[in-house]
Amino acid sequence: MASFEVIGGRTLHGEIIPQGAKNEALQILCAVLLTAEPVIISNVPNIRDVNKLIELLRDMGVDVEQTAPDTYVFKAEDVNLDYLSSDKFVEQARAIRGSVMILGPMLARYGVAKLPKPGGDKIGRRRLDTHFEAFEKLGAKFTYDASDSFYHLEGKNLKGTYMLLDEASVTGTANIVMAAVLAEGITTIYNAACEPYLQQLCKMLNRMGAKISGIGSNLLIIEGVEKLGGTEHRMLPDMIEIGSFIGLAGMTGSEITIKNAQIRELGLIPDTFRRLGIKMEFHGDDIFIPAQEQYEIDTYIDGSILTVSDHTWPGFTPDLLSIALVVATQAKGTVLIHQKMFESRLFFVDKLIDMGAQIILCDPHRATVIGQNRQVPLRGISMTSPDIRAGVALLIAALSAEGRSVIHNIEQIDRGYQNIDGRLNALGAQITRI
């Protein structure tokens, strides 16, 4: 198990380019299964989860050619359905949660799909009912084998229908859209997720010949087509990385420019960090964060304590609540962090308390952070990363702390952040992989 040794207390300076979006990549890569023609995808992040999905596609029979460090050509002309019954497929599919999104394309194109219960971060219950209930509405037969935790789908003649999703699931919406584009007739999806990454998927599918309208809203209308063709697609920069860098700059008192951040696609992320006191300027699509000796948490109009909570898009993404929480520990003021979606995502605050943070964990979903206004800096400790986002939050805490910190289980961080130690060291950080 690899670790980071971090010497904190250093201010950073310079420019950083965000990687391609992990959460978009997992959708887009699965969509290549919908056509036998070449699909060229660029700005692909070199991170563990994405690389594992590319390996899975290759082993399923997809021809994969890497033409540049961030560019691949995929051609799913001869997918091996028998591979879905192999032990290696089970091992690969269970290793990444994004593998669940191969179900929609496989069902649409081949009329059959199967998958073991996927893995992913241990951040609480993440049910898949929305996916399978929608597949059944399209006419698929769904069975679940509890003896080996395997999902099975069969449906040779999917037919469009109306559906109202019980939750605006991003992966669920993506899976349903990919199944519906080849279904006969019209599919209407209400309460659909409308994140920028889902919009990117829909736009890519339309370039492949799909007929999807309502993109960007929570009401998608899909007119099924007989087949899809190839296309080229460039992924957005990762909004979670961008938010992490904003938080890092504010907490370490650093001057950082985030290049080509595609600001119009960031939703409430900049405004939320501004409410935590972090100043920033927009220069075209670049975000400039000046060095600040202090930053102060906003209050509501009546002076009451600010609440920062997660919500479905266009609300604040749950993936950045851990960053917001860490940033608040050294701000002036108090904030309530309310994690609504996952009941285990705040279970890293004990490590921050050990570092000297003033945090009250009210329950699994809420934490009150009393900022110390840089009067009592965090101190370095040894800790373990529980998941991707908490791991980076702890890394930011360690970079701001006095002394030496060691973060174990950094494989979790590598799943979502490309060469994070090398890129931050180029800005002046002192992070050693041990």
Side-chain angles (χ1 to χ4, degrees):
M1 186 169 68
S3 305
F4 280 150
E5 179 186 65
V6 182
I7 306 302
R10 300 167 66 95
T11 56
L12 313 184
H13 185 276
E15 298 179 347
I16 193 163
I17 300 172
Q19 67 186 28
K22 173 200 169 186
N23 290 340
E24 179 183 346
L26 298 178
Q27 299 177 34
I28 295 297
L29 293 178
C30 291
V32 306
L33 292 166
L34 285 165
T35 179
E37 296 183 17
V39 178
I40 303 170
I41 303 175
S42 60
N43 203 25
V44 179
N46 180 20
I47 55 177
R48 183 165 299 188
D49 277 9
V50 170
N51 292 339
K52 282 183 176 293
L53 183 56
I54 291 172
E55 179 185 352
L56 171 60
L57 292 171
R58 182 183 283 116
D59 289 345
M60 287 174 63
V62 179
D63 183 57
V64 181
E65 180 186 1
Q66 186 172 7
T67 58
D70 70 343
T71 303
Y72 291 81
V73 180
F74 298 89
K75 191 174 183 182
E77 188 174 20
D78 189 21
V79 175
N80 180 9
L81 298 181
D82 292 336
Y83 186 72
L84 303 182
S85 300
S86 69
D87 291 340
K88 188 175 181 184
F89 172 73
V90 173
E91 178 185 350
Q92 290 174 310
R94 281 188 172 146
I96 49 171
R97 187 166 181 82
S99 62
V100 72
M101 285 180 288
I102 71 170
L103 291 173
M106 293 294 292
L107 181 63
R109 187 170 167 203
Y110 296 102
V112 63
K114 60 190 297 188
L115 190 79
K117 189 175 181 179
D121 282 337
K122 307 304 180 185
I123 57 175
R125 186 166 178 262
R126 304 164 80 182
R127 64 187 181 88
L128 297 173
D129 301 54
T130 302
H131 301 241
F132 298 114
E133 289 172 2
F135 291 147
E136 287 182 313
K137 288 178 181 177
L138 289 171
K141 180 182 177 183
F142 166 66
T143 56
Y144 175 64
D145 189 342
S147 64
D148 58 5
S149 298
F150 239 92
Y151 305 112
H152 298 262
L153 287 164
E154 292 183 11
K156 293 288 187 183
N157 298 296
L158 300 183
K159 291 191 177 351
T161 186
Y162 171 87
M163 60 183 78
L164 172 60
L165 304 188
D166 63 340
E167 63 169 346
S169 164
V170 179
T171 56
T173 302
N175 233 343
I176 299 161
V177 166
M178 288 188 282
V181 290
L182 295 180
E184 180 185 341
I186 294 175
T187 301
T188 302
I189 308 172
Y190 198 29
N191 196 29
C194 49
E195 272 78 355
Y197 304 148
L198 197 282
Q199 295 178 40
Q200 286 279 96
L201 172 66
C202 291
K203 291 173 184 176
M204 170 181 157
L205 292 173
N206 278 352
R207 291 196 302 273
M208 294 169 69
K211 296 180 179 179
I212 306 171
S213 60
I215 297 172
S217 76
N218 67 347
L219 179 62
L220 294 176
I221 300 174
I222 304 164
E223 183 180 344
V225 297
E226 289 188 3
K227 63 180 293 188
L228 297 178
T231 191
E232 294 187 20
H233 180 81
R234 181 170 180 82
M235 292 193 296
L236 292 172
D238 196 303
M239 69 170 73
I240 313 305
E241 235 195 25
I242 292 167
S244 301
F245 295 150
I246 293 171
L248 168 67
M251 191 164 184
T252 58
S254 301
E255 181 182 294
I256 294 176
T257 298
I258 305 170
K259 301 292 291 182
N260 192 26
Q262 296 289 306
I263 295 166
R264 67 185 179 279
E265 306 290 355
L266 296 179
L268 289 175
I269 291 171
D271 285 343
T272 301
F273 282 104
R274 279 193 176 114
R275 297 208 75 178
L276 293 173
I278 298 176
K279 297 176 182 177
M280 64 190 82
E281 301 170 8
F282 296 159
H283 300 155
D285 254 339
D286 298 344
I287 300 176
F288 171 71
I289 303 104
Q292 294 177 244
E293 291 187 8
Q294 293 179 311
Y295 53 100
E296 183 173 355
I297 298 170
D298 199 2
T299 62
Y300 291 114
I301 292 172
D302 63 359
S304 56
I305 293 173
L306 179 70
T307 296
V308 174
S309 61
D310 59 332
H311 205 281
T312 52
W313 186 268
F316 188 64
T317 172
D319 283 342
L320 282 172
L321 271 188
S322 55
I323 308 298
L325 189 151
V326 166
V327 168
T329 64
Q330 287 300 307
K332 179 181 179 182
T334 301
V335 64
L336 175 66
I337 302 292
H338 190 176
Q339 168 60 265
K340 298 175 184 176
M341 295 188 185
F342 304 107
E343 66 270 19
S344 301
R345 224 169 192 172
L346 297 181
F347 288 169
F348 72 102
V349 301
D350 57 327
K351 301 169 181 65
L352 297 175
I353 293 170
D354 288 345
M355 297 177 80
Q358 296 290 299
I359 304 172
I360 302 167
L361 185 60
C362 309
D363 56 45
H365 292 277
R366 296 178 302 159
T368 301
V369 185
I370 303 163
Q372 302 195 74
N373 196 24
R374 296 200 200 276
Q375 300 302 303
V376 183
L378 300 180
R379 56 181 174 269
I381 63 167
S382 180
M383 47 195 158
T384 299
S385 168
D387 63 71
I388 298 174
R389 308 308 178 187
V392 170
L394 293 174
L395 177 59
I396 292 172
L399 287 166
S400 77
E402 287 186 342
R404 173 181 177 269
S405 295
V406 176
I407 304 174
H408 302 293
N409 195 28
I410 60 170
E411 290 85 358
Q412 290 281 4
I413 299 173
D414 289 337
R415 289 176 50 214
Y417 292 82
Q418 175 177 308
N419 185 28
I420 189 68
D421 48 332
R423 289 191 292 156
L424 295 183
N425 284 342
L427 298 179
Q430 191 172 341
I431 308 169
T432 304
R433 191 175 288 256
I434 56 176

